[in-house]
Amino acid sequence: MGPAVIIEPSPDTPLVWFDISIRGGASADPIGIEGLHRHAALLARRGAGTRDRAALDETLDSLGASLDIAVSRDSVTLSGLALSRHLDAVIGLAADVLADPLFSEEEHARLLRETPQVLDEIRDDDSALATRWFDWQCCPSHPYGRTSLGTEGSLLRIDRRSAIELWKREVVANNLVIGLAGDIDEATAARIVQRLTERLPRGNRPTTIVEETGLETEGRSGRRLILVDKPDRTQAQIRVGHLALRYGHPDTAAIAIAEAALGGMFSSRLMQEIRVKRGWSYGAGCALRRSRMPHWFEIWTAAGIDVAGPCVALTLELFADYAAKGPTDDEVDFARSYLVGAMPFHVATARQRMQLAVRDTVFELPQGYTAKLPESLAQLTAADVRAACARHLRPEDTVTVAVTTAASAQEALSQAKAGPLTVVNHDEY
Amino acid sequence: MTMSWQLEAEASAGRGVTARRWRMSNGLGLISAVDRRAPIVALQTWFRVGSRHERPGATGMAHLFEHLMFGQTEQLPPGEFDRLVERTGGESNAATWVDWTYYRLSLPARDLELGVKLEAERMQHLVLETGPVESERDVVTNERRERVEDDVDGWLDEQLMAHAFTQHPYRWPTIGWMEDIRALALPDIRAFYRTWYAPNNATIVCIGDFDEDHLRELIAQYYGGITPAQLPEVPRIVEPEQTKERVVRAPKPIATDRLLVGYKAPGQDDPDWAPLEIVSTLLAGCPSARLHRKLVILDESASSVDAQLTPFRDPSLLRLAVTCARGHNADEILQTIDRELTSLIEKPPTAAEVEKAKALAETDFWSSLVDVDGKAEALGHYETALGDFRKLDAIAKRLTTVTADDVARVVRTYLVPTKRTIVIAEPEDDEGEDDEPEVEGDGLAPAPGIDA
């Protein structure tokens, strides 16, 4: 056993990209210590091997390189970009971050002071704020309902020792998915994988990673509406959705067609009804969140505050009608044609192909799952798609989040038939 | 039909890719480059018209076309343009900025002819009637609410340009002032279309998997019959030299102070643009950058700092954007910025520091050429804003020649308080305040107000 490795050579530019995904991610944060994975990952990037944070930054920048850490619900990913002539040096630094991070006391304390300010920035951004509230409220008992950033309360419970232990436990060779793309050949790639993993423990993948168990039955609680009250808004940022299926479920291809027809294109129903016919919003769309476990089916739009209530009502009516009747035959044909034709754009560059393959591996999907979806799409009938809609779309169990000014929008939103309305302050989460 | 083309220029556009500029007899430009690494094409149509070509009172006109151009034409009923593109799996979009507007199609290679046909149709046969114009006007007002009225960064950006420029058209926002968007009249909209949407004001940029001779045949077939327009002479407006610092402040529903500073800077084709680009990187363009290290890491007085040298044809701004940390304010940050700029003059960067910025610029350059859309966008920008797609390579080469002395010189010349405009958004108090900006400076009137 060792890491899963994906290599996509391409000499188009003198650049090499690498993604090193560590399975786990924020969904594996202990309850009450939300934000621990993010904290550990960012701390690891702030000094490693013989270099403190300043020296590591300086060395990377001098090489024209970048080394960034991102935390998703399912993984922590160390992403690098290097000029190919400096690849060895950059890989050496990445290997230090993986195997020998300093986890300095000083940086630990600084990061704990910094993170609440990221919360401030989210509260200043209505769209990000709507997404944060929706993620929390959509299905609070779901691991994806826990914030990857943390809360002001959970951050107080993060200690340096827990971060170090998490890193040691999860950064083992068997738990990595390594992708390399760009100006690199197979032999060099093999040598680089060896360098990245040679100092890592050979232990088993950790058992703390959340397993999928019975999640699809959760979140059936009727409609609810959360009005996130923020002063001086001229619009409402709106999210509507519910817990749905896992990306990789046998109905994934059918739901991909349903998603495209409802809100994945400009020609889709939501865009046509909300933007084109009524001019209520700059845009409207929907998507099934792609993740390892069942995740949200989510509709989004942003309507002028004077039409926020009618816009939520219309969105729910459209969704209910769609769930009951599904897309028409023409809509299915059109969406299928779009999705099949669009695939070459998703795999046009070596970096795209590598990142898709890394994501599929983290999601524990068969090799080439996403790239082969067009084959599954081609076999579906309109009846298959409508049956999948009936199975997975649940308009009576939607959670609606609207970030707007309550004094102006509350009355109309309360009449949107979105369920009991709760008003919360924009800075309380 | 290929006989009607003239080859004007050619240059490398990345490894193994050669871009060529052709000109048709009606003035239409074409930049083509074959890249067969994926069975797709990027087909972009760049028009030399942006918000700078508007007039006060009718701002937002160029951007409104970014919406209208997807509507009905003589041959296509409403919505058909998008349906035809999406049925192929392709995507369409558009962007408007100060110097240009461009329309982007990403298509499977087999559908290149469809793309050429659609673009030629909307260049000459757009139907501009009350119904669709009013519908798109509503959409644009909502776009503006989302990007400006309810977005503090959008508000800062708009106020900066409105106060940094007193004469030049860069002073109004590309999306337009809300009252202007609402007032744009149908006859003026039609006149704008007839004036600027013409082959002799456009360059088609096509990158991807196609045969170049066939592409020129297609373009000649669909565009060959379009007559050139009489393009108006665009007056050259020179912004008067700024001699005094300008400051704008307003309360906003935010957690901490936001600060946006714009220093007057030359246009992208000026020889000083390259050293200023290096300065931008050294100040806030990477994790080890001076201001980032000082403000975010050492002092912890800011949660983020960003620098950007705007790539405009005429003189514009080097911008520093800072989000203050809790317990710190914009005035304190400004003092630190001034100290760091003084330090950059008194102790010029080492050769190693300049080399660092050059290495990062090299990575950025190649990153912009990774896919066909990126290549087309880079070539289209340089061709349309600066008049020659080969400036992409020329400016990248200029960056490699910058010295530490150049850096100190441009900091001394440009990054001085009298040449800067400062916009500060401050948290509202609990009572809620009137958000009308408070302006200090050399006789400035407030910019058109925020639509509530």
Side-chain angles (χ1 to χ4, degrees):
Chain A
M1 281 286 286
V5 177
I6 291 115
I7 302 165
E8 283 286 346
S10 169
D12 307 4
T13 66
L15 298 175
V16 178
W17 291 263
F18 57 89
D19 280 1
I20 305 162
S21 282
I22 303 153
R23 295 173 175 100
S27 62
D29 277 343
I31 291 172
I33 316 182
E34 289 80 12
L36 180 60
H37 273 80
R38 176 183 178 276
H39 187 84
L42 266 59
L43 204 49
R45 169 61 181 79
R46 294 183 175 192
T50 59
R51 293 175 179 83
D52 64 10
R53 178 183 185 180
L56 183 55
D57 286 345
E58 187 67 42
T59 308
L60 281 162
D61 291 342
S62 298
L63 296 166
S66 62
L67 196 56
D68 299 314
I69 287 264
V71 181
S72 73
R73 297 299 199 276
D74 296 310
S75 62
V76 168
T77 300
L78 181 65
S79 296
L81 168 60
L83 291 157
S84 47
R85 66 177 183 274
H86 296 317
L87 181 60
D88 273 337
V90 177
I91 288 295
L93 300 172
D96 282 346
V97 170
L98 292 172
D100 193 18
L102 299 180
F103 285 116
S104 90
E105 193 72 66
E106 182 188 358
E107 287 298 337
H108 164 68
R110 180 181 283 123
L111 183 54
L112 285 177
R113 290 191 296 272
E114 283 176 14
T115 303
Q117 298 179 67
V118 181
L119 289 172
D120 286 345
E121 292 196 26
I122 289 173
R123 289 169 186 147
D124 288 352
D125 177 337
D126 293 5
S127 178
L129 186 63
T131 299
R132 178 170 165 84
W133 274 89
F134 181 78
D135 282 344
W136 182 32
Q137 290 295 317
C138 186
C139 185
S141 60
H142 192 292
Y144 293 160
R146 298 208 295 273
T147 161
S148 58
L149 185 59
T151 64
E152 264 138 350
S154 74
L155 294 173
L156 295 174
R157 293 187 280 275
I158 290 178
D159 63 74
R160 180 172 158 270
R161 175 57 47 197
S162 301
I164 294 170
E165 286 170 2
L166 180 153
W167 201 253
K168 281 184 180 167
R169 191 169 59 241
E170 296 194 359
V171 186
V172 297
N174 290 344
N175 197 35
L176 303 187
V177 181
I178 299 176
L180 293 149
D183 191 16
I184 185 170
D185 58 40
E186 300 266 352
T188 305
R191 182 169 53 77
I192 279 168
V193 170
Q194 170 69 17
R195 283 192 69 198
L196 286 169
T197 57
E198 63 193 358
R199 287 184 280 154
L200 299 180
R202 295 283 137 187
N204 293 324
R205 283 170 59 180
T207 55
T208 50
I209 296 172
V210 180
E211 296 301 329
E212 178 186 348
T213 49
L215 290 168
E216 289 183 67
T217 60
E218 296 187 29
R220 294 180 186 272
S221 55
R223 289 182 177 179
R224 291 182 293 136
L225 191 157
I226 294 100
L227 193 169
V228 181
D229 186 21
K230 189 173 176 181
D232 304 343
R233 300 302 85 194
T234 67
Q235 281 195 322
Q237 279 284 346
I238 296 163
R239 305 289 182 273
V240 178
H242 59 77
L243 179 62
L245 65 164
R246 171 186 196 263
Y247 181 69
H249 182 285
D251 283 338
T252 296
I255 290 297
I257 288 177
E259 165 195 88
L262 178 63
M265 303 174 287
F266 194 88
S267 306
S268 303
R269 281 194 197 186
L270 289 169
M271 192 67 112
Q272 292 298 308
E273 294 292 333
I274 294 173
R275 170 174 159 152
V276 176
K277 287 189 186 170
R278 293 171 178 81
W280 281 354
S281 175
Y282 178 51
C286 71
L288 171 71
R289 295 263 196 101
R290 273 70 168 152
S291 296
R292 191 175 66 88
M293 294 184 289
H295 207 163
W296 326 141
F297 187 88
E298 180 184 4
I299 297 170
W300 64 85
T301 189
I305 199 163
D306 54 328
V307 292
C311 187
V312 168
L314 174 68
T315 301
L316 288 166
E317 282 169 28
L318 290 169
F319 189 41
D321 179 69
Y322 193 76
K325 299 174 188 163
T328 64
D329 289 359
D330 285 348
E331 285 176 318
V332 169
D333 285 345
F334 190 91
R336 187 203 330 266
S337 176
Y338 169 72
L339 292 170
V340 172
M343 185 52 73
F345 298 97
H346 299 305
V347 294
T349 68
R351 184 189 186 200
Q352 287 175 306
R353 293 189 292 275
M354 177 271 282
Q355 290 184 327
L356 266 187
V358 167
R359 190 189 72 171
D360 282 356
T361 307
V362 168
F363 292 174
E364 298 171 351
L365 297 170
Q367 191 176 6
Y369 177 84
T370 299
K372 291 176 186 165
L373 263 183
E375 295 167 22
S376 307
L377 295 168
Q379 292 165 10
L380 290 166
T381 66
D384 294 333
V385 177
R386 287 191 279 269
C389 287
R391 277 194 292 274
H392 298 290
L393 302 185
R394 303 204 313 268
E396 294 313 312
D397 291 316
T398 52
V399 171
T400 300
V401 168
V403 174
T404 190
T405 303
S408 304
Q410 183 172 351
E411 188 176 343
L413 283 169
S414 68
Q415 293 166 15
K417 298 181 181 172
L421 184 152
T422 306
V423 180
V424 296
N425 200 307
H426 78 284
D427 59 5
E428 69 182 70
Y429 174 65
Chain B
M1 276 194 231
T2 53
M3 295 301 288
S4 62
W5 291 98
Q6 273 201 332
L7 177 62
E8 292 184 340
E10 68 178 36
S12 168
R15 283 180 170 176
V17 178
T18 300
R20 296 184 179 83
R21 183 176 63 222
W22 302 80
R23 184 80 55 196
M24 209 157 63
S25 49
N26 62 4
L28 179 68
L30 166 66
I31 296 171
S32 62
V34 174
D35 180 345
R36 298 194 190 279
R37 285 161 216 172
I40 57 176
V41 291
L43 180 67
Q44 300 180 356
T45 308
W46 288 72
F47 290 92
R48 286 180 286 279
V49 61
S51 56
R52 66 180 297 152
H53 300 91
E54 299 161 350
R55 61 174 173 79
T59 66
M61 182 75 86
H63 171 262
L64 180 62
F65 271 87
E66 185 188 314
H67 291 246
L68 296 173
M69 287 284 280
F70 292 86
Q72 183 180 353
T73 71
E74 290 178 11
Q75 299 293 321
L76 302 169
E80 189 65 6
F81 187 99
D82 290 305
R83 282 193 291 273
L84 286 169
V85 172
E86 288 180 337
R87 185 175 280 285
T88 71
E91 290 195 351
S92 59
N93 212 329
T96 312
W97 212 3
V98 292
D99 297 321
W100 42 249
T101 306
Y102 84 92
Y103 298 86
R104 177 171 76 79
L105 290 178
S106 303
L107 292 166
R110 64 176 180 273
D111 295 304
L112 176 61
E113 180 170 359
L114 171 69
V116 173
K117 185 177 172 181
L118 289 174
E119 289 294 1
E121 169 71 8
R122 67 176 171 177
M123 181 189 279
Q124 53 188 326
H125 297 310
L126 190 64
V127 173
L128 293 167
E129 298 295 348
T130 302
V133 167
E134 292 313 310
S135 172
E136 286 307 322
R137 195 194 305 273
D138 287 344
V139 172
V140 173
T141 58
N142 273 309
E143 180 181 358
R144 192 188 144 84
R145 288 188 185 106
E146 190 165 349
R147 294 189 173 179
V148 183
E149 269 77 359
D150 285 3
D151 184 309
V152 66
D153 293 319
W155 178 85
L156 286 163
D157 182 67
E158 187 170 281
Q159 293 295 313
L160 177 67
M161 299 304 278
H163 291 94
F165 294 93
T166 60
Q167 301 297 318
H168 196 285
Y170 289 167
R171 70 185 185 276
W172 56 73
T174 299
I175 198 169
W177 299 114
M178 187 67 99
E179 56 267 38
D180 291 353
I181 297 168
R182 288 183 170 142
L184 292 171
L186 188 56
D188 293 339
I189 292 169
R190 288 174 174 155
F192 193 90
Y193 177 65
R194 284 194 302 271
T195 302
W196 299 110
Y197 282 75
N200 52 325
N201 197 42
T203 303
I204 295 172
V205 184
C206 188
I207 316 287
D209 182 9
F210 58 87
D211 176 87
E212 283 193 287
D213 290 339
H214 180 57
L215 171 68
R216 288 196 303 281
E217 285 170 13
L218 286 175
I219 292 175
Q221 176 185 342
Y222 288 104
Y223 287 84
I226 309 177
T227 52
Q230 183 70 43
L231 296 172
E233 188 156 330
V234 179
R236 183 167 178 269
I237 297 172
V238 178
E239 177 67 21
E241 186 174 351
Q242 186 173 341
T243 57
K244 192 174 175 187
E245 181 177 84
R246 299 165 188 168
V247 184
V248 184
R249 292 172 187 268
K252 290 282 159 189
I254 51 177
T256 60
D257 281 11
R258 299 282 186 115
L259 167 69
L260 184 60
V261 187
Y263 293 89
K264 288 283 168 55
Q268 196 180 12
D269 203 18
D270 188 283
D272 281 348
W273 202 85
L276 276 167
E277 179 72 351
I278 297 291
V279 168
S280 163
T281 303
L282 293 178
L283 286 176
C286 56
S288 67
R290 290 182 177 214
L291 274 177
H292 181 266
R293 179 141 187 80
K294 178 66 176 166
L295 293 172
V296 176
I297 300 174
L298 296 178
D299 293 355
E300 297 182 47
S301 55
S303 57
S304 69
V305 56
D306 184 42
Q308 187 203 17
L309 183 58
T310 45
F312 293 174
R313 194 178 77 190
D314 288 349
S316 62
L317 301 174
L318 189 153
R319 302 142 53 103
L320 298 173
V322 182
T323 301
C324 295
R326 292 178 182 179
H328 297 269
N329 63 55
D331 296 308
E332 170 193 343
I333 298 287
L334 270 171
Q335 289 176 17
T336 306
I337 289 173
D338 285 342
R339 282 196 295 273
E340 287 297 312
L341 292 176
T342 302
S343 162
L344 202 52
I345 295 169
E346 292 174 350
K347 288 192 296 180
T350 62
E353 202 175 357
V354 174
E355 289 308 309
K356 173 176 72 178
K358 290 180 187 176
L360 289 162
E362 183 183 356
T363 305
D364 283 349
F365 172 79
W366 286 110
S367 295
S368 73
L369 301 179
V370 166
D371 58 34
V372 293
D373 288 324
K375 282 192 186 88
E377 193 170 321
L379 296 171
H381 167 78
Y382 284 98
E383 178 70 16
T384 310
L386 304 188
D388 191 343
F389 73 94
R390 291 170 295 183
K391 295 274 171 69
L392 166 68
D393 197 47
I395 290 176
K397 285 196 170 75
R398 268 184 215 163
L399 285 165
T400 67
T401 65
V402 173
T403 66
D405 287 344
D406 293 332
V407 169
R409 178 180 57 77
V410 296
V411 172
R412 250 190 330 266
T413 306
Y414 296 99
L415 303 191
V416 293
T418 53
K419 294 183 179 181
R420 74 181 174 192
T421 302
I422 297 163
V423 187
I424 297 169
E426 300 166 316
E428 290 175 342
D429 62 26
D430 291 341
E431 302 299 311
E433 299 169 63
D434 183 353
D435 66 0
E436 196 65 34
E438 173 193 317
V439 182
E440 306 159 25
D442 44 0
L444 289 167
I450 299 302
D451 182 272

